[in-house]
Amino acid sequence: MLEDLIAEGLSVREIGDRLGRTHASVRYWMAKHGLVTPRGSLWRASHAARQEVASTRRGVCPRHGEVRFVRRDTGFRCEQCRSEAVTKRRRDLKRRLVEEAGGRCVACGYDRCIAALHFHHLDPATKLFAVAGAGITRSLAASRAEAAKCILLCANCHAEVEAGAREVPFTGA
């Protein structure tokens, strides 16, 4: 019976709920019969790899199948899941900063595609990093502080300002 519940992909607590037993009791009987949940086997593999101080390993991600896992402080994580989480965080951060900056190009009013909106530093000498640029992910506070030094321009207006074909349309707060 335990094998069937494990095959369903249930956690130890879910198995305990289904059987009307505590998770400690379920763990006891699983250990007695040498059974492990899928998550438990992932944890054991991760734990064993941590003991070996490996930086990567192969594993099965519930979302991506068999892939490479990378070492983190808390264990191993699917490399694709990690990459997707970073991309999502960067997009969410840029969306928030664009909304706070007015959500549209200050020169022409363009607002259709957030990817085409750029932060233009009014004083390049004060620029510490590119806001919402590729590379290192910054904290929200650091990104807000850097965005405060900028105006929001669409890609076309930004290119014209950088090339000197257009004046900076807005210079004050």
Side-chain angles (χ1 to χ4, degrees):
M1 179 167 208
L2 280 175
E3 293 92 348
D4 297 335
L5 296 172
I6 291 169
E8 285 183 42
L10 298 178
S11 69
V12 172
R13 287 190 188 273
E14 291 169 332
I15 292 170
D17 290 344
R18 199 90 49 98
L19 297 176
R21 303 280 184 248
T22 67
H23 68 279
S25 176
V26 172
R27 273 201 190 103
Y28 169 82
W29 286 105
M30 286 177 62
K32 185 168 179 85
H33 295 289
L35 301 172
V36 181
T37 63
R39 184 171 177 198
S41 62
L42 268 178
W43 182 88
R44 283 185 180 175
S46 173
H47 181 72
R50 270 196 309 274
Q51 299 306 319
E52 296 171 9
V53 192
S55 61
T56 63
R57 69 171 179 86
R58 298 293 296 173
V60 179
C61 171
R63 188 168 173 190
H64 297 105
E66 187 172 337
V67 293
R68 191 168 81 145
F69 279 60
V70 291
R71 184 169 176 69
R72 295 189 38 138
D73 294 339
T74 56
F76 283 85
R77 185 169 183 194
C78 166
E79 193 170 39
Q80 291 175 347
C81 287
R82 182 174 181 237
S83 176
E84 289 169 4
V86 170
T87 300
K88 181 184 181 313
R89 184 191 180 284
R90 286 183 179 150
R91 285 186 179 146
D92 290 346
L93 180 65
K94 182 173 181 183
R95 180 192 45 75
R96 178 180 266 174
L97 293 174
V98 166
E99 286 172 4
E100 291 173 2
R104 62 183 55 239
C105 174
V106 296
C108 69
Y110 177 87
D111 65 353
R112 289 187 301 272
C113 177
I114 195 169
L117 294 172
H118 300 176
F119 288 90
H120 173 73
H121 282 80
L122 293 171
D123 181 5
T126 64
K127 181 176 179 175
L128 296 176
F129 58 89
V131 178
I136 299 171
T137 300
R138 310 286 177 154
S139 70
L140 176 59
S143 297
R144 277 183 173 148
E146 197 66 21
K149 305 174 195 176
C150 303
I151 59 171
L152 196 60
L153 295 172
C154 70
N156 285 337
C157 291
H158 193 205
E160 290 176 2
V161 167
E162 291 293 336
R166 173 182 277 217
E167 291 294 316
V168 175
F170 177 75
T171 57

